[in-house]
Amino acid sequence: MKLNALEKALMNNPVRAWIQRRYEAPLLEGLGGRIDGLRALEIGCGRGVGTAIILDQFGASEVDAFDLDEQMVRLAQRRLAAYPPSRLRLWVGDATAIKAEDASFDVVFDFGILHHVPAWQRAVAEIRRVLRPGGRFYFMEVTGQALTRRSYRHFFVHPITNRFSRADLVAELEKQDILVGERIVERFFGDFIYGVGRINAA
Ligand SMILES: C[S@@+](CC[C@H](N)C(=O)[O-])C[C@H]1O[C@@H](n2cnc3c(N)ncnc32)[C@H](O)[C@@H]1O
């Protein structure tokens, strides 16, 4: 589901970029480590701040990134124009039907998109499908508890049914063999969760 105008304004501003670079990326790196030389996919890349973080802070050798919203992809293309096509590919796409081969990525990143996807379990199955054995899934997510707060309901637009708690998300990931274990933390009274899942090596 695309963002409404207010959420887009909140996402596409320097404060959000600062939080992503200085708070979220170090937290996720602490949970899952760097990914030097690996091939990564970012789902729901928005305007591409996370994509640059994956390349520059996490050390990925190459990144594919997509978003449902063509306007966001255009912003990302502008922001990331300096990266060569050998390191970066951007496209319009849907996390519930990822345009990529099975087992084609070492790492998948999700900076806050699954809570926008009505059939989020389908997206988890797609993430599992495109990850290689031993692959990792880094995620920052917003729980159903947050989405039911009056502020969220008043200002933003999200799917209302079939939302997830921390336990629901971990259970679905582990059902799909993406094992989280202790690599997960809650922030802001359980409204936000940060974690890293890992598939067993073959
Ligand atoms: C809250 S924003 C986060 C954007 C970016 N990851 C960030 O952290 O700034 C969620 C993004 O997910 C995208 N999105 C929503 N549903 C999607 C889907 N099914 N497939 C791909 N992207 C989706 C939206 O267009 C939006 O850019």
Side-chain angles (χ1 to χ4, degrees):
M1 183 183 275
K2 293 181 188 176
L3 311 185
N4 69 3
L6 180 60
E7 193 172 1
K8 222 174 240 190
L10 275 179
M11 285 295 118
N12 295 348
N13 80 71
V15 177
R16 165 72 189 140
W18 189 90
I19 292 170
Q20 217 172 343
R21 283 193 200 105
R22 303 279 173 222
Y23 181 76
E24 296 187 342
L27 184 49
L28 287 174
E29 190 186 323
L31 291 167
R34 290 177 59 84
I35 59 164
D36 294 289
L38 298 181
R39 180 165 191 231
L41 172 72
E42 185 187 9
I43 60 171
C45 62
R47 65 176 178 147
V49 172
T51 318
I53 290 171
I54 297 164
L55 286 159
D56 300 337
Q57 291 183 224
F58 279 88
S61 62
E62 49 181 304
V63 176
D64 285 41
F66 66 86
D67 198 284
L68 193 62
D69 187 334
E70 55 290 337
Q71 188 194 5
M72 291 294 218
V73 174
R74 276 198 300 276
L75 290 174
Q77 280 165 338
R78 208 177 308 155
R79 167 179 296 276
L80 303 167
Y83 293 92
S86 58
R87 294 199 69 202
L88 174 69
R89 290 160 292 275
L90 288 164
W91 73 82
V92 176
D94 185 343
T96 63
I98 299 175
K99 291 180 276 182
E101 301 280 307
D102 294 1
S104 49
F105 293 99
D106 303 298
V107 186
V108 175
F109 278 85
D110 156 22
F111 284 105
I113 101 135
L114 286 183
H115 69 283
H116 278 279
V117 181
W120 62 272
Q121 293 95 334
R122 176 77 209 134
V124 170
E126 281 291 273
I127 291 162
R128 171 68 186 89
R129 180 182 68 75
V130 301
L131 274 172
R132 293 201 176 105
R136 280 172 271 170
F137 174 48
Y138 289 68
F139 57 92
M140 171 271 146
E141 269 306 333
V142 181
T143 59
Q145 166 188 291
L147 301 180
T148 57
R149 293 193 193 282
R150 196 180 307 171
S151 51
Y152 265 87
R153 284 187 284 120
H154 189 71
F155 293 114
F156 308 132
V157 180
H158 292 96
I160 296 166
T161 57
N162 187 30
R163 297 304 81 203
F164 50 82
S165 63
R166 163 184 172 160
D168 296 332
L169 180 58
V170 170
E172 186 63 29
L173 289 170
E174 301 211 337
K175 194 171 107 185
Q176 308 264 1
D177 297 327
I178 304 173
L179 308 176
V180 177
E182 301 299 311
R183 291 183 301 268
I184 185 164
V185 294
E186 289 181 8
R187 292 290 185 267
F188 307 107
F189 311 103
D191 282 6
F192 295 88
I193 42 180
Y194 296 81
V196 179
R198 192 184 284 269
I199 297 173
N200 284 328

XYZ file of all heavy atoms in Angstrom, residues 142-154 158-161 163-164 191:
170
model
N 7.024 -1.940 12.255
C 6.066 -1.248 13.112
C 4.967 -2.253 13.460
O 4.393 -2.888 12.564
C 5.467 -0.027 12.378
C 4.496 0.717 13.280
C 6.577 0.910 11.890
N 4.703 -2.404 14.755
C 3.755 -3.444 15.176
C 2.295 -2.977 15.055
O 2.010 -1.772 14.989
C 4.013 -3.830 16.647
O 3.863 -2.652 17.454
C 5.396 -4.411 16.832
N 1.394 -3.959 15.090
C -0.040 -3.669 15.064
C -0.452 -2.771 16.227
O -1.346 -1.931 16.095
N 0.232 -2.936 17.369
C -0.050 -2.091 18.535
C 0.104 -0.607 18.177
O -0.749 0.220 18.516
C 0.931 -2.462 19.650
C 0.994 -1.483 20.796
C 2.123 -1.823 21.765
O 2.046 -2.833 22.457
N 3.142 -1.000 21.821
N 1.182 -0.275 17.461
C 1.395 1.126 17.057
C 0.299 1.582 16.091
O -0.231 2.691 16.204
C 2.765 1.264 16.396
N -0.049 0.696 15.159
C -0.994 1.093 14.107
C -2.395 1.338 14.653
O -3.200 2.014 13.995
C -1.022 0.033 12.996
C 0.320 -0.236 12.309
C 0.164 -1.300 11.233
C 0.912 1.034 11.697
N -2.695 0.782 15.838
C -4.028 1.025 16.412
C -4.059 2.306 17.251
O -5.130 2.723 17.686
C -4.492 -0.148 17.297
O -3.503 -0.347 18.316
C -4.674 -1.421 16.500
N -2.918 2.932 17.494
C -2.930 4.192 18.262
C -3.701 5.250 17.473
O -3.656 5.284 16.240
C -1.498 4.675 18.515
C -0.729 3.771 19.440
C 0.556 4.425 19.928
N 1.423 3.435 20.554
C 1.255 2.953 21.786
N 0.250 3.376 22.529
N 2.100 2.064 22.282
N -4.356 6.135 18.226
C -5.212 7.135 17.575
C -4.407 8.003 16.595
O -4.871 8.334 15.514
C -5.870 8.015 18.640
C -7.036 8.784 18.071
C -7.698 9.662 19.092
N -8.082 8.941 20.299
C -8.518 9.535 21.409
N -8.610 10.834 21.463
N -8.856 8.819 22.459
N -3.176 8.360 16.978
C -2.357 9.224 16.126
C -2.100 8.548 14.769
O -2.244 9.167 13.707
C -1.024 9.532 16.812
O -0.419 8.326 17.235
N -1.755 7.265 14.818
C -1.494 6.550 13.556
C -2.755 6.487 12.698
O -2.718 6.714 11.499
C -1.027 5.116 13.853
C 0.477 4.978 13.885
C 1.197 5.214 15.054
C 1.192 4.613 12.748
C 2.569 5.090 15.093
C 2.568 4.487 12.774
C 3.247 4.726 13.953
O 4.614 4.605 13.978
N -3.885 6.156 13.371
C -5.129 5.983 12.593
C -5.586 7.311 12.006
O -6.136 7.360 10.914
C -6.220 5.373 13.483
C -5.998 3.874 13.700
C -7.150 3.220 14.434
N -7.117 3.534 15.850
C -8.071 4.170 16.518
N -9.173 4.554 15.898
N -7.948 4.422 17.802
N -5.311 8.391 12.746
C -5.793 9.699 12.294
C -4.957 10.241 11.127
O -5.493 10.767 10.156
C -5.755 10.674 13.470
C -6.413 11.980 13.180
N -7.781 12.106 13.057
C -5.894 13.210 12.947
C -8.074 13.359 12.779
N -6.946 14.053 12.700
N -2.872 2.771 6.736
C -2.226 1.451 6.717
C -3.305 0.390 6.548
O -4.469 0.647 6.873
C -1.493 1.188 8.047
C -0.307 2.054 8.264
N -0.362 3.223 8.999
C 0.969 1.941 7.831
C 0.844 3.782 9.007
N 1.675 3.034 8.313
N -2.917 -0.792 6.113
C -3.899 -1.895 6.164
C -4.356 -2.052 7.615
O -3.558 -1.873 8.541
C -3.082 -3.108 5.713
C -1.900 -2.559 4.997
C -1.606 -1.239 5.616
N -5.617 -2.384 7.814
C -6.164 -2.428 9.180
C -6.188 -3.853 9.726
O -5.848 -4.100 10.879
C -7.593 -1.834 9.198
C -7.506 -0.355 8.802
C -8.240 -1.974 10.587
C -8.848 0.247 8.464
N -6.574 -4.798 8.871
C -6.655 -6.183 9.346
C -5.327 -6.906 9.089
O -4.472 -6.416 8.347
C -7.776 -6.933 8.615
O -7.513 -6.856 7.205
C -9.120 -6.323 8.912
N -2.661 -7.404 10.872
C -1.386 -6.772 11.278
C -0.633 -7.743 12.183
O -1.145 -8.788 12.547
C -1.659 -5.443 12.004
C -2.338 -4.392 11.153
C -1.604 -4.066 9.871
N -1.864 -5.050 8.813
C -1.054 -5.266 7.784
N 0.068 -4.638 7.675
N -1.354 -6.149 6.870
N 0.580 -7.379 12.581
C 1.376 -8.341 13.357
C 1.983 -7.707 14.612
O 2.298 -6.529 14.640
C 2.483 -8.958 12.497
C 3.324 -7.947 11.755
C 4.369 -7.279 12.378
C 3.069 -7.679 10.418
C 5.138 -6.357 11.689
C 3.842 -6.747 9.718
C 4.869 -6.090 10.352
N 6.349 -0.447 20.005
C 5.775 0.001 18.723
C 6.694 -0.366 17.550
O 6.231 -0.583 16.432
C 5.554 1.517 18.721
C 4.299 1.913 19.495
O 3.676 1.025 20.117
O 3.937 3.098 19.464
